[in-house]
Amino acid sequence: MGTVWTGSPASAADDGPQRVVGGTQATQGEFPFMVRLSMGCGGSLYSPTLVLTAAHCVSRTGNNTSITATLGVVDLNSSSKITRKSNYVYRAPGYNGSGKDWALIRLSSPITTLKTLPIAQSSTYDTGTFTIAGWGAAREGGSQQRYMLKATVPFVNDTTCNSSSMYDGDIIPAEEICAGYTEGGVDTCQGDSGGPMFRRDANNAWIQVGIVSWGEGCARPNKPGVYTQVSYFAPAIASAAASLGG
Ligand code: ARG
């Protein structure tokens, strides 16, 4: 998971070295479903044995015992961290580097002490203000973080995100959802990939609407973060999860 770095939403004209201001530290237990993966990505606890992450964080579908998931802590060096090895990876069918950026990682044994993060089943929540979190870089080109950072970013609609001043047609509208400030300054970054973008639902519970996927640089003006649109893939994710045993 990347670092959430927040630069000061300074003036749009300020494209000098960005200053990390936002991205405050998450508090212990605030986002119990957050997962750090050993290849340098984030993830979310989808079920007691499954972690939802990005396809670009994994290599292929099949048995895989090489990934370590760390859960239950804000501080990755904490002695109270929970760890699990993977035993299987499922990468989105048809993934070729563009869109379809989701994958499931099955853990060697269930995590029964942490809350899972439900995924959005419809586009109802694909708007508003989203929370992003992770251990990725706190600025473009920066190092991975020991402590989980968090920030909030506003929804950017597909038309705006695909406009010539932003991604100029590179967004796949059905499969991707953008979020960030026009002026930049707050974003996910390298190492946050695979982690969730989430918000509150009608019952005030957290619900996942995105998976950290890509962006041009980090927190640059007119370059919002691009996230896998979870609601679009919800049926495929659910059937893959069922095939993996839940
Ligand atoms: N692809 C990056 C990763 O592997 C995530 C980049 C997110 N970038 C952004 N500007 N939101 O960690």
Side-chain angles (χ1 to χ4, degrees):
M1 282 287 249
T3 295
V4 172
W5 69 284
T6 54
S8 56
S11 71
D14 176 9
D15 59 354
Q18 271 142 347
R19 191 168 139 244
V20 176
V21 276
T24 57
Q25 209 171 295
T27 60
Q28 181 56 38
E30 187 175 10
F31 308 124
F33 42 77
M34 289 294 300
V35 183
R36 174 69 176 181
L37 296 168
S38 54
M39 80 292 273
C41 279
S44 54
L45 195 61
Y46 174 86
S47 76
T49 50
L50 295 175
V51 173
L52 181 60
T53 187
H56 81 261
C57 289
V58 302
S59 46
R60 61 180 185 85
T61 294
N63 293 331
N64 186 323
T65 56
S66 70
I67 303 167
T68 301
T70 300
L71 307 94
V73 288
V74 158
D75 175 5
L76 294 176
N77 293 351
S78 168
S79 57
S80 53
K81 69 187 179 189
I82 299 170
T83 60
R84 288 289 188 282
K85 283 289 187 187
S86 61
N87 66 18
Y88 194 85
V89 165
Y90 181 97
R91 196 176 67 172
Y95 174 70
N96 67 358
S98 168
K100 301 177 179 53
D101 198 5
W102 66 271
L104 288 168
I105 295 172
R106 191 171 62 198
L107 305 176
S108 54
S109 66
I111 307 273
T112 55
T113 55
L114 294 172
K115 279 189 182 149
T116 57
L117 179 60
I119 61 172
Q121 306 285 337
S122 77
S123 56
T124 306
Y125 299 113
D126 294 349
T127 187
T129 301
F130 305 127
T131 298
I132 49 178
W135 292 267
R139 60 184 171 83
E140 195 175 320
S143 59
Q144 300 293 294
Q145 302 292 300
R146 169 176 171 178
Y147 298 95
M148 189 198 309
L149 296 180
K150 63 168 180 177
T152 58
V153 282
F155 170 68
V156 175
N157 69 53
D158 289 330
T159 303
T160 303
C161 200
N162 251 338
S163 67
S164 57
S165 64
M166 291 193 174
Y167 288 113
D168 199 15
D170 287 344
I171 304 300
I172 304 172
E175 300 188 14
E176 295 174 321
I177 179 170
C178 302
Y181 294 95
T182 305
E183 66 269 33
V186 184
D187 198 4
T188 45
C189 196
Q190 267 54 45
D192 287 318
S193 276
M197 178 170 77
F198 48 97
R199 55 161 286 170
R200 298 283 190 179
D201 70 8
N203 298 317
N204 206 37
W206 293 120
I207 189 164
Q208 182 168 358
V209 301
I211 300 169
V212 180
S213 183
W214 62 280
E216 188 175 314
C218 302
R220 296 184 188 178
N222 284 301
K223 300 296 173 190
V226 185
Y227 299 80
T228 306
Q229 193 156 345
V230 166
S231 61
Y232 180 78
F233 294 106
I237 293 169
S239 67
S243 79
L244 296 177

